[in-house]
């Protein structure tokens, strides 16, 4: 098992980091936070660099690289607190179409993604829960069409995405049975953006008010075999991607804290020369490194379609949760007052790190998942 | 050890409670015109301070001429309990009343008392504390704001930062360097500087959760002229004065802190009772455990506070002060973290309209003010280790 | 609320500490650990000083002081890792007789305790659980007698106590209904001492093999009103006492660690001058002080029969659990290798602190109790 | 990044696995005559070491004349994986094989190699490390055991402590002070001291959980005469040698540690599956959460180890070494604490007959050996902060 980036992967990372340093400086992020910018220009730049096409098959115009590369990009986006539709389009919409739809549907919906013409997202969660059994939205047949009713919570970019994969279930089904998936044009949904702590993430609630979906937009008919299993695979990818975003932000917080500790002097010496500060920074380094190792392992299991992928995703997300908890707390504390000002960049990262914890399952819910897979508690 | 106070203390409590019922500012007037900084005195606050002063309830332990009634420490304790219970602030300028005024009484001239301290007691003036600087946060001795003697006064140049309430304060209790050649601790003095002095400018510091509104400021001094009569105490004796000033703040500050912890916990538990039944078993138990841990912390803080008070009331020393500062501020922070996590993805929403106040996650970020200002948690641990436990300086 | 020891209480504490320093030095404790001493002489000395009589009413020959005084003694016993029947006799047997029995029975069984002629204990736990509902041992009537069958776990001093209060339930009852309590002479029980980490605590398992109990030894007939409530009051006292023992041991570990940090030099300076060590010692001090404050509050609620006593007992035991976890770990770690030797005294205290965690409910089980009393989870 | 190794590596694995199946010591001979200290060589261990040496499997990365086959690092990795999987110890004298022998190869004379290093490789001799002293634990530079040049040799006086395996070792790799007047780091040398030298006495140190049996010892030197030919490397160059010696131990030590973490976790999880169903819901969830946290730790340690190995294998440096030392030893400790707490009051019982080994609580106490010896966790954090992260020395 080789968990260090290859030359090619390192090159991608450095490349992405360089682009974002120029195209997504903290000043842009702050503008988005303050509602003065949308970040659209950044997305255009990403498209120009083929980032959305990275892991898509060459068949649809993609570059045919792997989920590891996507993870590297998303980690850097987290590090830069980048706004924009990358996360939802590439790590939620794309796998949803790939895993749930037919090859024809994949060609139809993913070619425009590869070309940067379409953005997308995934509407699965309800009441803040992502597990398939929590889906209550209903899909009822009408002729050859389906009609969707219900509501969805915590959908990224729902108000701006071109296409939204909506998961709903057949009437009178429950648990993991009866689930289906549909591609709905974004403008047919009612999306309500929420005011959240990290405004670069457009978190919306969605109402499904008798939305008609024609047959060719049905990725998986309610109750079709394997839908839940396929949906879980989608959730694995989305979960690992959110972990990557979180860990990217955490690594940057760690680096800023380290730099600050070297520069900031109190009592005539750098605060980083005080042993208690040193040990805490060593612990931050440790938790970031550990979480990164688990993240890369999870990304690999997905890239290589290893049977451990689901467990690895939960390990990565649980570790990312512990990581952000410690890194946000000590990172802010060790900065002192400067970290609490709007003008200093730290808070942008803190908010991205915190936001990641709540998306696609908290650390606690992934530990619950692990407790079940280890057969410590009943499934 | 005992659970209850003597009857005389309880009768003191009843007296104050009755007075409070009749004289307190109403919820309506407080919410209609809230204090927006820690040196802002809205109309109701000015009237309320004056009423307390006139009737001897402002600082019960002080003599009547200073707004008190020579109350015993335990009486002050129940007085504070009653104020907290009634959710009435004792002052909207806590540093003025708690640190600046007593320091002026202790070290000031008669004129300084009548021009600066008494107006604070009568709700006529508010004060801010000019301590931290960009290069001197926890390390006060490194401050570099200069006050140069010139003619019959001082000329002040320099910059303060994190100055709470500076945009509303009438004057500043300013620590500045009056002898640049002396060893760091020995060249510092305190000046009382009117905030409308030419050359004093205030720039609000946009804040981590509310960029548009803030209590914290940068204060710039550019050739600001301060009369010699505004030097507090001895020249270059500011270091000793700083220790004494901050000591005024201690004593019973813990009580308000503990009661705030309790009311925050009550809110957390109430919300948890709504949310927990909807969670799967494992997550429910996990969240409940987090909340119970907060409860243990809050109750421990409360018991520790009362234990520390009992030691002080018997004339002993209470090493728990630094411990209470660190532990209460950290418990407060933890409560808000647990509060935000309890709400899952809903915890990301800002400005909770239902509660009419900042969301848990915003308050979590704000709560670092408690573990950073007035001596960081790290400084408090140094104090515990060195001054309380006698460990050698490193 | 006054949570600092009064002059009289301080005097008692200093007195007890002085006696134990002379009569229960670490050398005695080590001898008991090694099976070379029984500690009987120490118990005779405690009797001579009327410690068992401290909180008993004057009616039965007691000194009429309060549970606070008992707490002070037990805390010192924990600090000295004292062997002997004090804990079981004074904080388990005595409250069991007082709370569950008639005034006549109290006179009959407690007068010999006050006089130091009788030792006792309480057999309530089964399978390591102390809550009343976990009792499965059965009491069946036979004429005016009762016959006890079943087993008990984790009974302190069961192999040496003169009298044992046994809790059992009427046939075909469950939960908190049908409980009764009986005083059984120690030599009628089969007690199996366990090899435990702290051999100064004689932890036994007990088999009840058709033990006949005459009517005058029945403290509470199975099913009598108020038995469960009374039993809970007994458990409150026993729980707080175990917390006191734990915290006594923890405070001593803290003090030893503090002293060691001042003396032990590495790299040319006392290890206590290293800031990381300082901060950890400050945290140990903090947790010991906080646990002590909760302990005294709990002791007071029992002494003054305050309605908060049950919750206060759980708070104290939960806090004591967190305290021992941190203090044992950092205390041993900061001592380094010397702490791991048999000849150094630290391990005696570590083992007492750990033992306390598992008796009368772990910290986790008391947090569960608090979660119920706060109505966070269903009762 | 990739999950699997190349086919050539897997074929190396198969070769070793086949050899191991035919040549390994049996469970029976190992349990009949267990190694009771870290320098004890029971008969089977002597034969096993010799067999590995002869067939080039003792240290695969070394050349054939030293018991190896010039294997690549990744091959050594799978070799160690296979040994762990088969539960066969590579040696019962890990410090001899891992530190002492390579140091002698690096710094020693031909005679020292043939008299001390090669016998270790052939299972004929074992060695202990004489580093810690009562006044010099983490702080090796402060050691005071003296070696005074006299005639054609040294006279050694002083005391070592925490010396693992000293009661069974054939010789000691002894750090001692040869120039008391030089600065602390510059007066230290290494001597190879036969343990049967007159004046060398060993006193076993009764241990926290097993006073009757121990791996740790005090070693006293009283006018012990050591020939000059037994000086390793340059006189007064011991400090550099210490760094180099301990570096030999690193590299792939993490793999055994991680695999032990995994097998300990498996035991914990197996016991938990029996115990958890009997617990009330809240406690069940709490215990499960603790165990899952251990699982995250173990898996993180494993991934971190492989990541660090990948860096080393590419010729880079792997700052994770100090991090792995601290984190793995602390995870190990935590696993045993959780194991003992899982059992409730049963966790107090010592010597678990069913498992035929020490109880969790005993192993918890023992596990502090990992966070204290070979550089405490505190020292590891200093190393991470200063050497890896570049924070200034305090």
């Amino acid at each position: 098992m080789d968990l260090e980036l290859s030359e090619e992967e390192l090159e991608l990372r450095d490349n992405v980091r360089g682009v974002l340093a120029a195209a997504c400086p903290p000043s842009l992020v702050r503008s988005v936070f303050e509602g003065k910018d949308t970040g659209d220009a950044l997305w255009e730049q990403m498209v120009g660099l083929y980032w959305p096409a990275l892991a898509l098959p060459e068949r649809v115009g993609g570059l045919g690289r792997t989920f590891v590369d996507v993870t590297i990009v998303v980690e850097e986006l987290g590090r830069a607190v980048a706004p924009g539709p990358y996360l939802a389009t590439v790590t939620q919409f794309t796998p949803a179409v790939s895993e749930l739809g037919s090859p024809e549907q994949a060609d139809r919906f993913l070619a425009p993604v590869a070309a940067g013409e379409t953005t997308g997202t995934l509407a699965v969660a309800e009441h803040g829960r992502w597990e398939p059994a929590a889906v209550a939205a209903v899909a009822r047949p009408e002729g050859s069409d389906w009609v969707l009713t219900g509501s969805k919570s915590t959908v990224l970019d729902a108000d701006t995405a071109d296409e939204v994969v909506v998961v709903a279930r057949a009437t009178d089904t429950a648990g993991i049975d009866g689930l289906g998936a549909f591609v709905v044009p974004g403008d047919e949904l009612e999306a309500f953006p929420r005011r959240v702590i990290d405004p670069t993430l457009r978190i919306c609630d969605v109402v499904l008010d008798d939305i008609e979906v024609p047959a060719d937009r049905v990725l998986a008919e309610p109750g079709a075999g394997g839908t839940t299993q396929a949906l879980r695979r989608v959730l694995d990818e989305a979960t690992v991607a959110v972990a990557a975003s979180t860990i990217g932000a955490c690594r940057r917080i760690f680096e800023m804290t380290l730099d600050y500790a070297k520069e900031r002097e109190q009592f005539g010496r750098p605060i980083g020369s005080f042993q208690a500060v040193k040990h805490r920074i060593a612990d931050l380094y440790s938790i970031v490194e550990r979480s990164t190792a688990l993240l890369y392992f999870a990304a690999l299991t997905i890239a290589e379609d290893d049977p451990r992928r689901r467990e690895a995703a939960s390990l990565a997300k649980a570790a990312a949760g512990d990581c952000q908890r410690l890194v946000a707390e000590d990172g802010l504390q060790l900065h002192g007052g400067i970290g609490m000002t709007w003008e200093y960049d730290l808070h942008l990262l803190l908010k991205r790190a915190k936001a990641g914890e709540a998306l696609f399952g908290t650390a606690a819910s992934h530990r619950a998942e692990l407790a079940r897979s280890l057969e410590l508690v009943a499934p | 050890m005992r659970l209850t106070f003597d009857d005389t203390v309880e009768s003191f409590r009843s007296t104050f409670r009755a007075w409070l019922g009749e004289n307190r500012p109403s919820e309506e007037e407080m919410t209609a015109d809230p204090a927006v900084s820690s040196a802002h005195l809205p109309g109701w606050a000015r009237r309320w301070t004056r009423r307390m002063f006139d009737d001897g309830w402002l600082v019960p332990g002080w003599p009547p001429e200073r707004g008190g009634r020579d109350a015993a420490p335990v009486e002050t304790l129940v007085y504070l309990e009653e104020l907290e219970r009634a959710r009435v602030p004792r002052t909207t300028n806590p540093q003025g009343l708690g640190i600046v005024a007593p320091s002026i009484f202790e070290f000031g001239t008669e004129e300084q008392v009548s021009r600066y301290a008494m107006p604070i007691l009568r709700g006529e003036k508010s004060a801010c504390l000019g301590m931290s600087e960009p290069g001197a946060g926890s390390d006060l001795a490194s401050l570099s704001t200069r006050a140069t003697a010139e003619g019959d006064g001082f000329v002040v140049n320099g910059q303060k930062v994190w100055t709470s309430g500076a945009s509303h304060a009438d004057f500043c209790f300013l620590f500045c360097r009056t002898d640049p050649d002396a060893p760091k601790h020995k060249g510092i003095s305190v000046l009382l500087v009117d905030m409308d002095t030419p050359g004093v400018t205030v720039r609000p510091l946009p804040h981590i959760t509310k960029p548009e509104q803030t209590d914290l400021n940068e204060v710039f001094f550019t050739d600001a002229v301060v009369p010699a009569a505004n030097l507090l105490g001895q020249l270059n004796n500011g270091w000793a004065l700083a220790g004494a000033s901050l000591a005024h703040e201690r004593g019973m500050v813990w009580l308000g802190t503990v009661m705030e912890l309790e009311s925050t916990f009550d809110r957390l538990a109430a919300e948890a009772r709504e949310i927990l039944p909807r969670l799967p078993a494992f997550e429910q138990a996990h969240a409940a455990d987090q909340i119970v841990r907060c409860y243990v912390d809050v109750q421990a803080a409360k018991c520790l506070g009362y234990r520390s008070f009992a030691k002080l009331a018997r004339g002993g020393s209470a090493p728990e002060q630094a411990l209470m500062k660190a532990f209460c501020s950290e418990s407060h922070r933890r409560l808000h973290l647990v509060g935000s996590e309890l709400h899952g993805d809903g915890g990301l929403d800002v400005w909770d309209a239902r509660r009419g106040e900042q969301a848990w996650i915003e308050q979590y970020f704000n709560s670092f003010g408690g573990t950073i200002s007035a001596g960081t948690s790290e400084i408090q641990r140094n104090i515990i280790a060195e001054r309380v436990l006698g460990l050698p300086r490193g």
Side-chain angles (χ1 to χ4, degrees), chain A, chain B:
Chain A
M1 187 162 69
D2 178 350
L3 284 178
E4 172 59 325
L5 303 187
S6 67
E7 287 302 319
E8 203 178 7
E9 289 157 350
L10 278 172
E11 197 184 313
L12 173 67
R13 188 196 66 184
D14 294 345
N15 183 284
V16 172
R17 188 174 294 183
V19 168
L20 292 174
C24 184
S27 56
L28 170 67
V29 179
R30 195 174 283 100
S31 290
V32 176
F33 265 66
E34 292 169 354
K36 298 174 186 159
D37 197 319
T38 58
D40 290 348
L42 176 63
W43 174 242
E44 280 166 34
Q45 195 157 356
M46 292 188 203
V47 167
L49 293 162
Y50 301 100
W51 292 357
L54 211 49
L56 285 171
E58 292 170 16
R59 195 182 76 232
V60 299
L63 303 184
R65 291 178 68 163
T66 75
F67 185 71
V68 169
D69 288 346
V70 171
T71 302
I72 290 168
V73 174
V74 171
E75 195 183 348
E76 293 303 316
L77 296 177
R79 181 187 175 85
V81 198
Y86 192 90
L87 193 67
T89 302
V90 175
T91 74
Q92 298 174 20
F93 178 74
T94 297
V97 171
S98 307
E99 296 285 348
L100 290 156
S102 65
E104 295 71 33
Q105 287 172 320
D107 291 353
R108 169 179 170 194
F109 290 110
L110 299 184
V113 168
E117 295 156 3
T118 290
T119 63
T121 188
L122 171 66
V124 55
E126 297 184 26
H127 301 107
R129 303 210 62 88
W130 276 263
E131 61 269 21
V135 170
V138 165
R140 60 170 202 276
E142 242 182 56
S144 64
D145 293 355
W146 290 81
V147 177
L148 310 181
T149 53
S151 63
K152 292 285 165 185
S153 77
T154 331
V155 183
L156 224 52
D157 302 333
D159 59 337
T160 54
D162 298 313
E163 301 283 358
V164 182
V165 171
V166 176
V167 179
R169 62 168 64 251
T171 316
D172 295 331
T173 63
I176 58 170
D177 296 323
L179 295 175
F182 309 84
V183 186
V184 177
D187 52 18
E188 293 186 15
L189 295 167
E190 286 180 84
F192 302 93
R194 281 160 44 181
R195 280 195 61 209
V196 295
I197 193 77
D198 176 2
T200 64
L201 297 174
R202 306 185 67 89
I203 295 178
C204 301
D205 291 333
V206 167
V207 173
L208 306 169
D209 190 8
D210 281 333
I211 294 173
E212 289 177 37
V213 185
D216 64 348
R217 283 181 162 264
V218 178
L219 296 178
E221 287 213 355
T227 302
T228 302
Q229 191 51 33
L231 178 57
R232 288 216 168 105
R233 292 171 58 86
V234 178
L235 292 172
D236 292 346
E237 282 196 48
T239 300
V240 173
V242 172
S245 164
T246 305
I247 289 169
C250 286
R251 185 174 289 276
R252 183 76 193 113
I253 295 169
F254 159 71
E255 290 172 0
M256 288 180 73
T257 306
L258 177 62
D259 290 345
Y260 187 76
K262 288 178 183 174
E263 286 158 21
R264 171 72 170 172
E265 296 206 354
Q266 291 278 276
F267 306 103
R269 41 193 270 209
I271 60 170
S273 71
F274 289 100
Q275 199 198 29
V277 174
K278 263 183 206 176
H279 282 200
R280 281 162 73 184
I281 290 180
D283 284 340
L284 298 187
Y285 175 68
S286 174
I287 203 164
V288 171
E289 286 293 313
R290 277 145 43 203
S291 309
T292 303
L294 282 172
L295 169 68
Y296 289 165
F297 174 65
L300 266 179
T301 61
I302 289 172
E304 302 191 11
D305 201 11
D306 187 275
R308 291 168 291 180
R309 52 182 279 165
R310 191 166 166 208
E311 181 178 293
S314 283
L315 283 167
K317 190 65 166 63
D322 288 347
C323 182
Q324 61 78 21
R325 216 175 197 251
L326 185 69
V327 172
E329 190 149 296
D330 275 4
L332 181 46
Q333 178 67 23
L334 292 175
H335 267 87
I338 186 85
M340 298 191 68
T341 61
W342 188 261
E343 294 164 343
Y344 193 77
D345 300 335
L346 187 72
H347 73 98
L348 309 170
L349 290 147
L350 295 173
K351 291 166 182 176
R352 171 63 59 99
K354 286 286 158 200
E357 166 62 5
L359 300 177
F360 287 84
T362 61
S365 74
H366 283 284
R367 286 199 304 274
E369 176 62 31
L370 290 167
R372 286 186 289 270
S373 74
L374 289 166
E375 296 173 19
L376 298 174
V377 297
Chain B
M1 299 203 292
R2 45 193 298 202
L3 284 176
T4 47
F5 294 121
D6 287 340
D7 289 349
T8 58
V9 177
E10 291 304 325
S11 122
F12 181 93
R13 183 197 301 276
S14 307
T15 307
F16 178 59
R17 190 183 289 188
W19 181 87
L20 187 59
E22 282 168 30
N23 293 280
R24 60 164 290 170
S26 71
E27 285 288 351
E28 296 71 41
E29 59 185 330
M30 290 194 293
T31 46
D33 188 12
V36 296
S37 89
S38 62
H40 177 209
L41 304 178
W44 65 264
R46 293 176 186 271
R47 292 189 296 276
W48 169 231
T49 299
R50 180 64 197 237
R51 205 174 307 148
M52 294 183 96
F53 174 79
D54 287 343
D55 289 2
W57 286 118
L58 187 63
V59 186
W62 288 353
E65 64 274 19
R66 290 190 182 162
R69 50 181 63 215
D70 293 317
V74 65
E75 290 170 335
T76 301
L77 183 79
V78 301
Y79 155 86
L80 291 169
E81 285 178 353
E82 290 304 311
L83 276 175
E84 292 283 346
R85 192 165 310 173
R87 298 185 149 272
V88 176
R90 186 181 178 197
T91 170
T92 60
N93 180 216
Q95 296 184 329
L97 183 64
I99 300 177
V100 175
S103 297
I104 297 173
F105 285 130
E106 189 173 349
F107 297 98
T109 61
E110 257 182 64
E111 195 208 335
Q112 287 168 341
V113 165
S114 75
R115 285 194 48 208
Y116 293 101
M118 293 308 292
I120 287 177
L121 268 48
R122 290 192 302 258
E124 294 158 4
K125 278 191 177 172
S126 68
C128 62
L129 262 182
M131 299 188 89
S132 292
E133 297 187 3
S138 295
D139 178 18
L140 180 68
S142 292
L143 64 83
S144 60
T145 293
R146 282 290 312 278
T148 315
E150 251 187 64
D152 184 30
F154 298 90
V155 176
V156 181
N157 280 285
Q159 182 194 348
K160 294 288 170 180
V161 72
W162 325 126
T163 316
S164 296
S167 57
H168 289 97
D170 295 293
F171 68 98
C172 179
F173 191 88
L174 181 73
F175 287 84
C176 48
R177 186 161 303 284
T178 37
D179 183 352
D181 303 321
K184 287 207 297 185
H185 297 67
K186 300 197 170 165
I188 297 171
S189 300
V190 172
L191 297 179
L192 306 177
V193 182
D194 290 318
M195 291 300 284
D196 58 7
T197 305
V200 178
T201 50
V202 175
R203 193 184 81 93
L205 263 177
H207 187 257
I208 185 164
T209 59
K210 280 203 271 187
E212 63 284 0
Q213 184 196 331
T214 179
D215 181 39
L216 300 175
N217 304 271
E218 294 174 299
V219 184
F220 300 89
F221 298 87
T222 314
D223 293 333
V225 177
V226 179
N230 284 22
L231 170 70
L232 186 70
Q234 302 288 312
L235 189 69
N236 296 328
N237 193 33
W239 183 253
L241 218 146
S245 299
L246 292 177
H248 289 299
E249 207 188 22
R250 302 207 174 102
M252 275 176 260
V253 174
W254 65 270
L255 185 69
T257 311
V258 162
M259 292 185 90
E260 195 191 336
L261 283 176
E262 281 197 299
S263 70
T264 305
F265 176 81
D266 289 345
R267 207 166 65 221
L268 176 67
E271 295 181 16
R273 285 179 205 114
E274 283 181 38
I275 291 171
L276 290 186
R278 300 200 296 263
L279 295 181
F282 186 100
E283 288 161 69
Q284 183 186 100
H286 179 262
D289 197 53
Q290 295 287 310
I291 293 165
V292 170
R293 285 175 187 274
C294 287
Y295 188 61
V296 176
D297 284 351
V298 171
Q299 293 302 311
K302 183 176 178 177
C303 290
L304 194 61
Y306 278 96
R307 194 163 140 77
S308 136
F309 171 77
K311 288 184 190 172
L312 282 177
R314 279 174 217 174
S317 73
E320 287 88 350
Q321 298 303 325
L323 199 161
M324 284 293 284
K325 162 76 166 74
F327 182 65
C328 287
S329 59
E330 290 165 19
S331 297
H332 191 249
R333 201 171 69 182
R334 195 153 44 240
L335 267 170
H336 286 99
L337 179 63
V338 170
S340 82
E341 292 182 348
L342 169 69
H343 288 263
D345 80 303
L348 300 179
D349 294 334
V350 295
W351 186 263
D352 182 337
R354 190 168 59 109
R355 274 176 33 219
E357 58 190 305
Q358 288 198 308
W360 291 102
I361 183 71
E362 293 174 290
Q363 294 202 33
Y364 170 64
F365 287 130
N366 293 341
S367 72
F368 284 80
T371 57
I372 290 171
S373 68
T376 64
S377 280
E378 291 71 30
I379 298 280
Q380 302 303 326
R381 282 178 173 73
N382 286 346
I383 292 174
I384 294 168
E386 293 171 8
R387 296 194 213 156
V388 179
L389 303 177
L391 285 166
R393 299 185 69 106

